[in-house]
């Protein structure tokens, strides 16, 4: 992950997940749903094959995480970083510790995806709490690894990763709370907002450390450059809230438009009239005389 591509992959994937969840949360709030994702009952599972029940989100977690693991070990082509200890050195030092940090992170997200797949496709009763616990564990490991990842780093990397740890810790806290207090709309919104901040800040790291717009690298010894890191992070907090509000607004328009299409005028049952007026009786009599004359 110590390259531009290594930061782009999780940043873009996390942004896709966050936008997906923002749509789900917006529609759930508009519809007044009790559950963000209603669990499948054994009766609903009975009529489907197991591969028809495999969740797309779980498959995406596994596929993206395995891609990240492969790139950590074998990218660029021709390298092999699977070695953990340099056995040729008499001191037997550990090597490629940064790559093993990232592989461990991807490994726990792979575990979360596998738990989602097994819970929804293989078990008779979906275990929602287990799915949330596995996802909370993955983010908890991410927080621990990012905190330890700060060792032997420059001032710029330390500051950017500390700002990354803050929203990650909030997401971890929310996911942990959802294990015991699930289906709280306030937690849905907070988790989605922090997910958007995480994804956009990850993409911001690519710009700061690898492709600065000015063409000049950021100077960690300059207090002004470090001060603007916090300013940019606050902008990301506001930008995440704006994106979430925009998604909610678009979903609200779509929801009301669909609701108006489904409401067909004069489609409701009406009571039959118990008595006819004199004008209606004359009209009925005229129609009856015309029919008799035609016959």
């Amino acid at each position: 992950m110590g390259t531009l591509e290594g930061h782009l992959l999780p940043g873009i994937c996390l942004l896709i997940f966050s936008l997906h969840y923002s749509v789900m949360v917006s529609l759930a709030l508009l519809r007044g749903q009790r559950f963000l994702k209603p669990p499948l009952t054994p009766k609903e599972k009975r009529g489907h094959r197991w591969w028809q029940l495999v969740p797309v989100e779980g498959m995406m977690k596994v596929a993206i995480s395995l891609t990240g693991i492969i790139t950590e070990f074998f990218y660029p082509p021709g390298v092999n970083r699977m070695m953990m200890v340099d056995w040729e050195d008499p001191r037997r030092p550990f090597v490629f510790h940064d790559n093993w940090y990232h592989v461990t992170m991807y490994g726990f997200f792979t575990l979360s995806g596998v738990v989602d797949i097994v819970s929804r496709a293989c078990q008779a009763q979906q275990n929602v709490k287990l799915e949330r616990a596995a996802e909370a564990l993955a983010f908890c490991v991410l927080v621990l690894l990012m905190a330890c990842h700060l060792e032997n780093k420059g001032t710029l990397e330390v500051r950017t990763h500390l700002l990354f740890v803050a929203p990650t810790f909030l997401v971890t806290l929310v996911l942990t709370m959802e294990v015991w207090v699930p289906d709280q709309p306030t937690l849905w919104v907070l988790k989605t907002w922090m997910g958007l901040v995480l994804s956009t800040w990850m993409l911001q790291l690519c710009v700061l450390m690898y492709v600065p717009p000015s063409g000049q690298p950021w100077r960690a010894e300059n207090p002004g450059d470090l001060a603007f890191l916090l300013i940019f992070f606050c902008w990301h907090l506001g930008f995440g809230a704006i994106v979430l509000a925009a998604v909610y607004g678009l979903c609200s328009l779509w929801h009301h438009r669909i609701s108006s299409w489904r409401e067909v005028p004069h489609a409701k049952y009406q009571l039959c009239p118990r008595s006819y007026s004199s004008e209606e009786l004359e009209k009925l009599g005229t129609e009856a005389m015309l029919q008799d004359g035609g016959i």
Side-chain angles (χ1 to χ4, degrees):
M1 191 184 283
T3 60
L4 175 62
E5 296 82 0
H7 285 81
L8 278 177
L9 174 64
I12 293 175
C13 295
L14 188 57
L15 179 61
I16 294 173
F17 269 102
S18 300
L19 290 175
H20 170 66
Y21 271 99
S22 63
V23 173
M24 290 179 56
V25 169
S26 299
L27 292 177
L29 294 175
L30 290 168
R31 295 168 181 168
Q33 295 177 195
R34 181 182 175 186
F35 303 102
L36 182 60
K37 292 181 291 184
L40 295 175
T41 62
K43 185 178 180 180
E44 293 173 336
K45 288 186 175 184
R46 204 168 297 153
H48 299 82
R49 300 287 184 179
W50 67 269
W51 60 81
Q52 296 174 328
L53 299 173
V54 173
V56 178
E57 297 167 7
M59 291 295 296
M60 289 183 63
K61 286 181 184 179
V62 173
I64 295 170
S65 299
L66 290 179
T67 302
I69 290 174
I70 293 173
T71 54
E72 287 293 333
F73 282 145
F74 305 109
Y75 183 83
V79 302
N80 185 354
R81 303 188 187 92
M82 290 191 69
M83 182 174 59
M84 186 179 294
V85 178
D86 186 3
W87 298 102
E88 297 180 358
D89 192 328
R91 297 174 298 174
R92 304 293 190 268
F94 288 102
V95 293
F96 305 126
H97 50 86
D98 285 344
N99 301 96
W100 282 101
Y101 270 125
H102 304 148
V103 168
T104 304
M105 175 193 71
Y106 285 127
F108 276 89
F109 278 100
T110 304
L111 175 63
S112 175
V114 171
V115 169
D116 291 347
I117 295 172
V118 172
S119 174
R120 301 185 198 183
C122 302
Q123 289 187 332
Q125 179 69 40
Q126 181 180 351
N127 196 334
V128 180
K129 286 190 175 183
L130 182 62
E131 296 175 20
R132 290 179 176 139
E135 193 172 16
L137 176 63
F139 274 92
C140 182
V141 170
L142 176 59
V143 171
L144 293 175
L145 291 177
M146 287 296 103
C148 297
H149 199 51
L150 303 178
E151 298 178 0
N152 301 322
K153 300 292 183 181
T155 306
L156 179 64
E157 289 189 68
V158 170
R159 187 69 61 89
T160 53
H161 283 80
L162 278 176
L163 294 174
F164 180 81
V165 168
T168 308
F169 176 76
L170 287 178
V171 173
T172 306
L173 185 61
V174 170
L175 290 171
T176 305
M177 292 173 62
E178 285 186 330
V179 176
W180 288 279
V181 189
D183 305 312
Q184 297 294 321
T186 306
L187 298 181
W188 298 348
V189 175
L190 179 58
K191 179 174 63 175
T192 308
W193 178 34
M194 288 297 103
L196 290 169
V197 174
L198 274 177
S199 57
T200 57
W201 185 248
M202 176 70 78
L203 297 176
Q204 180 72 57
L205 293 183
C206 300
V207 177
L208 290 175
M209 295 191 294
Y210 299 104
V211 283
S214 63
Q216 298 294 326
W218 280 62
R219 293 163 295 180
E221 68 279 0
N222 188 350
D225 289 1
L226 295 179
F228 265 94
L229 282 180
L230 182 58
I231 295 173
F232 289 158
F233 182 76
C234 293
W235 289 358
H236 280 270
L237 291 173
F239 180 71
I242 292 173
V243 171
L244 185 57
V247 171
Y248 182 84
L250 293 175
C251 291
S252 178
L253 293 175
W254 180 84
H255 175 72
H256 291 302
R257 179 64 61 87
I258 293 297
S259 300
S260 63
W261 285 349
R262 290 178 179 176
E263 291 179 0
V264 181
H266 308 295
K268 297 181 179 180
Y269 290 105
Q270 298 180 356
L271 294 176
C272 295
R274 295 183 178 181
S275 61
Y276 293 94
S277 62
S278 59
E279 296 179 357
E280 291 174 342
L281 289 174
E282 291 178 1
K283 184 178 179 181
L284 290 174
T286 305
E287 291 176 356
M289 291 175 63
L290 292 174
Q291 290 178 359
D292 292 340
I295 294 175

